Amino acid sequence: MSGIDTLPPLREVIAAHDLAPRKSLGQNFLLDLNLTAKIARQAGDLSKCDVLEIGPGPGGLTRALLAEGARRVLAIEKDARCLPALEDIAAAAPGRLKVIGGDALAVDSRQHLTPPIRIVANLPYNVGTELLVRWLTPPEWPPFWSSLTLMFQREVAERIVAHPGSKAYGRLALLASWRCDARIVMTLPPGAFTPPPKVSSAVVHLTALPAPRYPADAGTLERVIAMAFNQRRKMLRSALKGLRPDIEDVLRAVGIPPTDRAETVTLEKFCALARAIHTG
């Protein structure tokens, strides 16, 4: 029996450390260790990887990552109340868990990790999307991570994997599909969490591609996408008029009717548009 297996149930840990979840931190704890193990397995073979986990809370997923054989886990937790519980896990897995107290948006995790690196997290609802966008838009590609296995509200997960023409299609889908293969691998009902959120959750697995699917300057593409979806019902000639005075001609040149709306335009066409704007 490993040291991880001797740790007390999570409900006892929460009671012992007075870890009532805080809404202000977007906390919804997943206490079912069978579910956390299933999430950890969605990340694949972890035995030769360092794993970055954001918002571990009392450590349910942290335990699962270690039990599934992660070479080493770096856990970043903003809630100082959770740190003693996480240190108990570190003591049960000597040399395999490093805990940092702080805001994941401010901590440079790369200096504490050795490639290959995978990110696996039940992300706090209030910072999940911002973290994802940061991981998808680094200055250089490939990124420091090889895959992301992340839990979001189901609505956000569906936006990440959406296709053109669907209601959920937008900035997240385009940023994800440009540089990754993305798919939903699990869904979880509200009752799986403490406290139960108002919506279902889903786990998305994203694998980094060696290079983007289509060539484009990252900054230009991000700017084009942001403007195009800022007002979804607008025709592109209106939504993008601030980019160039001749935007209608540029749209036509890359095969996009100026009267089209952003939600109907494919990634390939957006990349062509970004190239035309960047080189023009």
Side-chain angles (χ1 to χ4, degrees):
M1 179 178 289
S2 72
I4 298 296
D5 296 327
T6 65
L7 291 167
L10 286 174
R11 292 192 184 278
E12 291 184 15
V13 172
I14 288 172
H17 294 280
D18 193 21
L19 297 181
R22 288 181 175 171
K23 187 176 182 180
S24 63
L25 295 175
Q27 291 176 329
N28 297 90
F29 296 153
L30 185 60
L31 304 184
D32 187 331
L33 294 181
N34 291 319
L35 287 176
T36 56
K38 188 175 180 181
I39 294 168
R41 287 194 290 270
Q42 300 300 326
D45 181 4
L46 302 176
S47 61
K48 297 179 181 179
C49 299
D50 278 12
V51 177
L52 171 61
E53 183 188 7
I54 306 298
L61 181 57
T62 315
R63 294 191 195 186
L65 293 168
L66 293 166
E68 290 297 321
R71 179 176 67 191
R72 192 163 169 272
V73 175
L74 172 65
I76 301 177
E77 177 55 62
K78 186 176 183 179
D79 186 353
R81 300 176 306 151
C82 295
L83 299 182
L86 294 169
E87 292 297 348
D88 288 344
I89 301 174
R96 295 178 60 212
L97 173 61
K98 180 178 179 66
V99 180
I100 294 179
D103 186 341
L105 295 171
V107 174
D108 183 3
S109 59
R110 290 171 294 181
Q111 63 182 310
H112 303 283
L113 295 163
T114 302
I117 298 161
R118 301 186 185 188
I119 301 177
V120 187
N122 172 14
L123 291 174
Y125 280 174
N126 54 358
V127 296
T129 300
E130 183 173 354
L131 283 168
L132 174 64
V133 170
R134 287 191 182 193
W135 290 326
L136 292 176
T137 57
E140 298 180 355
W141 197 269
F144 74 92
W145 50 269
S146 59
S147 71
L148 308 172
T149 306
L150 306 172
M151 187 184 300
F152 297 96
Q153 295 180 36
R154 185 168 181 171
E155 178 185 349
V156 176
E158 289 171 348
R159 285 164 50 200
I160 296 167
V161 302
H163 297 288
S166 67
K167 184 178 179 181
Y169 182 66
R171 177 173 177 245
L172 287 183
L174 285 158
L175 292 178
S177 63
W178 185 44
R179 288 170 156 174
C180 300
D181 285 326
R183 58 195 177 94
I184 292 176
V185 294
M186 278 180 67
T187 57
L188 294 93
F193 299 87
T194 300
K198 295 180 180 179
V199 296
S200 296
S201 300
V203 177
V204 182
H205 183 74
L206 302 98
T207 304
L209 298 172
R213 292 186 194 279
Y214 307 104
D217 174 74
T220 305
L221 179 61
E222 290 164 31
R223 188 166 69 253
V224 168
I225 290 170
M227 291 185 69
F229 285 94
N230 187 43
Q231 293 177 291
R232 294 177 65 93
R233 292 182 174 83
K234 272 195 172 183
M235 297 178 187
L236 283 173
R237 66 185 181 193
S238 299
L240 301 178
K241 64 183 180 181
L243 285 173
R244 285 175 52 158
D246 61 344
I247 192 63
E248 289 196 39
D249 294 337
V250 179
L251 287 165
R252 291 192 185 96
V254 298
I256 303 174
T259 54
D260 276 6
R261 291 172 172 80
E263 53 267 34
T264 67
V265 179
T266 65
L267 170 65
E268 183 176 10
K269 291 291 187 182
F270 268 118
C271 289
L273 178 59
R275 289 196 302 272
I277 291 172
H278 185 69
T279 59

